[in-house]
Amino acid sequence: MSTCKKARAKSTSVVSSDRLSSLPPEIKGDILSRLNVEEAVRTSTLSSTWRDAWTNMPKIFLRDGNFARTKFVTLVDMVLSLHKGTVEKFDISGSKTYHDEFGRWMLMLSRRSPRSIIMELKSEPGYRIPSCLFSMGDLEFLHLQNCIISLPLVFQGFKRLTRLSLKSFSSTDMDIQNLISFCPVLSYLELASFEGINHLTVQAPKLKLLYVVGDVEDINFDAPNLEVAALFLDQKAIAHHSDPTALHKESYAKQLVGSLSDIKTLAITGFLLRYLSKGCILTKLPAVFARLENIYLAICFGDQRQFLAACSLFQNAPNLKKLDFWSQSLSTWDQDQDQDQASIPELTMQVQLVHLVTASVKGFRGVDCEVGFVEKLLNWAPALEEVKIEWQCKTECSMVLAKLLALPRVSPKAKVIVTF
């Protein structure tokens, strides 16, 4: 390379370097947010102009990974103590024990006015959330896992919080009720694997999506804008209301189902289906789901109660377009269900699914009740285009496949697709 070309190349390199170094601090911080924190901190050795650039990172991601515990503690302490300005997102996860440091970290973080917090520290016991977290008024997103939630005596709420996700946590009925109701613009709520909550009350005027996985005796909704509800309830709710003569059984069922009448997507388990089949609401549900277009059911097709309750739900959803099922075995259910068994082909009820376009069945084992349901579905849906079946059983399936593919169908477009 000639001397002239070398000079031009060196000049271009210097200009590019100067351009990067002259970037505003917030731009440098945004660039460094693409790196993990350790790599971002190392850029301080590049030049004097980059020495403090990492302290303006708007997003902080911390993973203990292969770190020794003491080194990770030092890193988190340094990042939180030296950071300047607002933290848009703080995301920390780890498997080692940080109970002694957790309160200090949350206090330092509270001084940075975070907008988003994701905390997944997995070591037991659960981390008690300090009161300073509940004073972070700028929070818009909060995800906590493996924690203990106890609201402070003075809690003014999260006025900007739109998404709340709590997993593997413990709390009380009143604390969770107040936490939710003091988030006036909450649109997404996830509660999964919790302890200490028996009566769940969800009062959220802006809520659009609700996801609940756990053991509760009952749920009360006041969420007029709810569009998606996924309720994977365990047996406690069923056991608590198992007596058909229980004083509040029918009113509870009507409240639960009626409060979901405006949703577009519903996901529930067979436990709730069995419960809804009791109390004289089997064929006359307390609401018509005029907006409901998508249903996901974890169901045992061999359980007559579940099947009839599901059919009743379909009948009350005139605009249903998509159905997804997860087929569960009889062993999942109590022994007293033997009296509820009936062959699906023997059930003569007719359900009109005039708008149904697609359906799927996962966990398909080829038993008669599953084949019988597919047969019913093909006869009930004149606009059906496809039924996808995910075969789970490893036994010989040629005879069942032949039976499935030979089933009559009312829709000329209907296809039965089986995958393994």
mmCIF file of all heavy atoms in Angstrom, residues 147-166:
data_model
loop_
_atom_site.group_PDB
_atom_site.id
_atom_site.type_symbol
_atom_site.label_atom_id
_atom_site.label_comp_id
_atom_site.label_asym_id
_atom_site.label_seq_id
_atom_site.Cartn_x
_atom_site.Cartn_y
_atom_site.Cartn_z
ATOM 1 N N CYS A 147 -40.689 -15.276 45.372
ATOM 2 C CA CYS A 147 -40.681 -14.147 46.294
ATOM 3 C C CYS A 147 -41.843 -14.214 47.292
ATOM 4 O O CYS A 147 -42.775 -15.000 47.129
ATOM 5 C CB CYS A 147 -40.740 -12.826 45.525
ATOM 6 S SG CYS A 147 -42.234 -12.638 44.540
ATOM 7 N N ILE A 148 -41.749 -13.388 48.311
ATOM 8 C CA ILE A 148 -42.795 -13.227 49.321
ATOM 9 C C ILE A 148 -43.280 -11.783 49.239
ATOM 10 O O ILE A 148 -42.485 -10.851 49.362
ATOM 11 C CB ILE A 148 -42.257 -13.528 50.731
ATOM 12 C CG1 ILE A 148 -41.690 -14.955 50.790
ATOM 13 C CG2 ILE A 148 -43.347 -13.340 51.777
ATOM 14 C CD1 ILE A 148 -40.910 -15.249 52.058
ATOM 15 N N ILE A 149 -44.578 -11.603 49.011
ATOM 16 C CA ILE A 149 -45.127 -10.268 48.803
ATOM 17 C C ILE A 149 -45.990 -9.875 49.994
ATOM 18 O O ILE A 149 -46.991 -10.521 50.299
ATOM 19 C CB ILE A 149 -45.959 -10.214 47.510
ATOM 20 C CG1 ILE A 149 -45.058 -10.489 46.309
ATOM 21 C CG2 ILE A 149 -46.657 -8.865 47.370
ATOM 22 C CD1 ILE A 149 -45.793 -10.605 45.002
ATOM 23 N N SER A 150 -45.578 -8.809 50.639
ATOM 24 C CA SER A 150 -46.328 -8.244 51.759
ATOM 25 C C SER A 150 -46.324 -6.733 51.585
ATOM 26 O O SER A 150 -45.265 -6.097 51.677
ATOM 27 C CB SER A 150 -45.677 -8.642 53.090
ATOM 28 O OG SER A 150 -46.387 -8.098 54.178
ATOM 29 N N LEU A 151 -47.468 -6.165 51.302
ATOM 30 C CA LEU A 151 -47.533 -4.733 51.030
ATOM 31 C C LEU A 151 -47.228 -3.923 52.288
ATOM 32 O O LEU A 151 -47.622 -4.304 53.392
ATOM 33 C CB LEU A 151 -48.916 -4.349 50.511
ATOM 34 C CG LEU A 151 -49.331 -4.873 49.136
ATOM 35 C CD1 LEU A 151 -50.686 -4.313 48.756
ATOM 36 C CD2 LEU A 151 -48.305 -4.540 48.069
ATOM 37 N N PRO A 152 -46.546 -2.789 52.122
ATOM 38 C CA PRO A 152 -46.318 -1.906 53.269
ATOM 39 C C PRO A 152 -47.633 -1.267 53.717
ATOM 40 O O PRO A 152 -48.608 -1.234 52.966
ATOM 41 C CB PRO A 152 -45.345 -0.859 52.713
ATOM 42 C CG PRO A 152 -45.589 -0.861 51.235
ATOM 43 C CD PRO A 152 -45.940 -2.272 50.881
ATOM 44 N N LEU A 153 -47.650 -0.762 54.925
ATOM 45 C CA LEU A 153 -48.872 -0.144 55.448
ATOM 46 C C LEU A 153 -49.318 1.030 54.582
ATOM 47 O O LEU A 153 -50.518 1.260 54.395
ATOM 48 C CB LEU A 153 -48.643 0.322 56.893
ATOM 49 C CG LEU A 153 -48.417 -0.794 57.918
ATOM 50 C CD1 LEU A 153 -48.124 -0.201 59.290
ATOM 51 C CD2 LEU A 153 -49.625 -1.723 57.984
ATOM 52 N N VAL A 154 -48.353 1.766 54.059
ATOM 53 C CA VAL A 154 -48.668 2.877 53.153
ATOM 54 C C VAL A 154 -48.243 2.472 51.748
ATOM 55 O O VAL A 154 -47.053 2.378 51.444
ATOM 56 C CB VAL A 154 -47.941 4.168 53.581
ATOM 57 C CG1 VAL A 154 -48.257 5.292 52.592
ATOM 58 C CG2 VAL A 154 -48.351 4.570 54.994
ATOM 59 N N PHE A 155 -49.208 2.197 50.900
ATOM 60 C CA PHE A 155 -48.945 1.807 49.514
ATOM 61 C C PHE A 155 -49.853 2.625 48.606
ATOM 62 O O PHE A 155 -51.071 2.489 48.646
ATOM 63 C CB PHE A 155 -49.194 0.307 49.315
ATOM 64 C CG PHE A 155 -49.062 -0.152 47.876
ATOM 65 C CD1 PHE A 155 -47.900 0.081 47.157
ATOM 66 C CD2 PHE A 155 -50.111 -0.809 47.256
ATOM 67 C CE1 PHE A 155 -47.785 -0.333 45.846
ATOM 68 C CE2 PHE A 155 -50.009 -1.244 45.944
ATOM 69 C CZ PHE A 155 -48.840 -1.000 45.236
ATOM 70 N N GLN A 156 -49.242 3.487 47.817
ATOM 71 C CA GLN A 156 -50.008 4.375 46.950
ATOM 72 C C GLN A 156 -50.266 3.787 45.580
ATOM 73 O O GLN A 156 -50.957 4.405 44.773
ATOM 74 C CB GLN A 156 -49.282 5.720 46.827
ATOM 75 C CG GLN A 156 -49.151 6.456 48.152
ATOM 76 C CD GLN A 156 -48.451 7.791 48.015
ATOM 77 O OE1 GLN A 156 -47.872 8.102 46.975
ATOM 78 N NE2 GLN A 156 -48.500 8.587 49.071
ATOM 79 N N GLY A 157 -49.728 2.595 45.330
ATOM 80 C CA GLY A 157 -49.999 1.908 44.074
ATOM 81 C C GLY A 157 -48.984 2.227 42.998
ATOM 82 O O GLY A 157 -48.127 3.112 43.134
ATOM 83 N N PHE A 158 -49.094 1.471 41.905
ATOM 84 C CA PHE A 158 -48.265 1.692 40.723
ATOM 85 C C PHE A 158 -49.159 2.326 39.654
ATOM 86 O O PHE A 158 -49.882 1.632 38.931
ATOM 87 C CB PHE A 158 -47.681 0.370 40.214
ATOM 88 C CG PHE A 158 -46.728 -0.292 41.168
ATOM 89 C CD1 PHE A 158 -46.974 -1.580 41.638
ATOM 90 C CD2 PHE A 158 -45.591 0.360 41.603
ATOM 91 C CE1 PHE A 158 -46.091 -2.209 42.505
ATOM 92 C CE2 PHE A 158 -44.701 -0.260 42.487
ATOM 93 C CZ PHE A 158 -44.952 -1.540 42.939
ATOM 94 N N LYS A 159 -49.114 3.626 39.541
ATOM 95 C CA LYS A 159 -50.042 4.344 38.675
ATOM 96 C C LYS A 159 -49.772 4.128 37.193
ATOM 97 O O LYS A 159 -50.652 4.356 36.356
ATOM 98 C CB LYS A 159 -49.987 5.852 38.983
ATOM 99 C CG LYS A 159 -50.230 6.202 40.455
ATOM 100 C CD LYS A 159 -51.557 5.647 40.962
ATOM 101 C CE LYS A 159 -51.776 6.037 42.427
ATOM 102 N NZ LYS A 159 -53.002 5.410 42.982
ATOM 103 N N ARG A 160 -48.539 3.687 36.848
ATOM 104 C CA ARG A 160 -48.178 3.507 35.437
ATOM 105 C C ARG A 160 -48.010 2.042 35.038
ATOM 106 O O ARG A 160 -47.743 1.743 33.876
ATOM 107 C CB ARG A 160 -46.872 4.255 35.140
ATOM 108 C CG ARG A 160 -46.956 5.758 35.381
ATOM 109 C CD ARG A 160 -45.641 6.421 35.027
ATOM 110 N NE ARG A 160 -45.677 7.861 35.254
ATOM 111 C CZ ARG A 160 -44.666 8.691 35.021
ATOM 112 N NH1 ARG A 160 -43.523 8.214 34.547
ATOM 113 N NH2 ARG A 160 -44.788 9.978 35.255
ATOM 114 N N LEU A 161 -48.140 1.152 35.997
ATOM 115 C CA LEU A 161 -47.884 -0.262 35.724
ATOM 116 C C LEU A 161 -48.940 -0.845 34.789
ATOM 117 O O LEU A 161 -50.130 -0.809 35.075
ATOM 118 C CB LEU A 161 -47.868 -1.054 37.028
ATOM 119 C CG LEU A 161 -47.276 -2.466 36.945
ATOM 120 C CD1 LEU A 161 -45.760 -2.396 36.744
ATOM 121 C CD2 LEU A 161 -47.592 -3.271 38.198
ATOM 122 N N THR A 162 -48.474 -1.408 33.653
ATOM 123 C CA THR A 162 -49.391 -2.027 32.690
ATOM 124 C C THR A 162 -49.273 -3.546 32.668
ATOM 125 O O THR A 162 -50.216 -4.226 32.278
ATOM 126 C CB THR A 162 -49.128 -1.497 31.269
ATOM 127 O OG1 THR A 162 -47.767 -1.778 30.891
ATOM 128 C CG2 THR A 162 -49.375 0.007 31.197
ATOM 129 N N ARG A 163 -48.105 -4.078 33.100
ATOM 130 C CA ARG A 163 -47.896 -5.533 33.074
ATOM 131 C C ARG A 163 -47.350 -5.997 34.420
ATOM 132 O O ARG A 163 -46.329 -5.493 34.892
ATOM 133 C CB ARG A 163 -46.932 -5.927 31.949
ATOM 134 C CG ARG A 163 -47.474 -5.638 30.553
ATOM 135 C CD ARG A 163 -46.411 -5.917 29.499
ATOM 136 N NE ARG A 163 -46.054 -7.324 29.433
ATOM 137 C CZ ARG A 163 -46.638 -8.214 28.650
ATOM 138 N NH1 ARG A 163 -47.635 -7.844 27.864
ATOM 139 N NH2 ARG A 163 -46.247 -9.466 28.629
ATOM 140 N N LEU A 164 -48.040 -6.977 35.007
ATOM 141 C CA LEU A 164 -47.631 -7.547 36.289
ATOM 142 C C LEU A 164 -47.588 -9.060 36.177
ATOM 143 O O LEU A 164 -48.584 -9.700 35.826
ATOM 144 C CB LEU A 164 -48.604 -7.134 37.397
ATOM 145 C CG LEU A 164 -48.363 -7.737 38.789
ATOM 146 C CD1 LEU A 164 -47.002 -7.322 39.330
ATOM 147 C CD2 LEU A 164 -49.482 -7.330 39.748
ATOM 148 N N SER A 165 -46.432 -9.644 36.458
ATOM 149 C CA SER A 165 -46.251 -11.093 36.386
ATOM 150 C C SER A 165 -45.616 -11.572 37.677
ATOM 151 O O SER A 165 -44.506 -11.160 38.031
ATOM 152 C CB SER A 165 -45.359 -11.462 35.186
ATOM 153 O OG SER A 165 -45.057 -12.846 35.190
ATOM 154 N N LEU A 166 -46.312 -12.459 38.387
ATOM 155 C CA LEU A 166 -45.826 -13.016 39.650
ATOM 156 C C LEU A 166 -45.832 -14.538 39.547
ATOM 157 O O LEU A 166 -46.869 -15.137 39.265
ATOM 158 C CB LEU A 166 -46.709 -12.572 40.819
ATOM 159 C CG LEU A 166 -46.914 -11.055 40.986
ATOM 160 C CD1 LEU A 166 -47.900 -10.782 42.111
ATOM 161 C CD2 LEU A 166 -45.596 -10.350 41.248
#
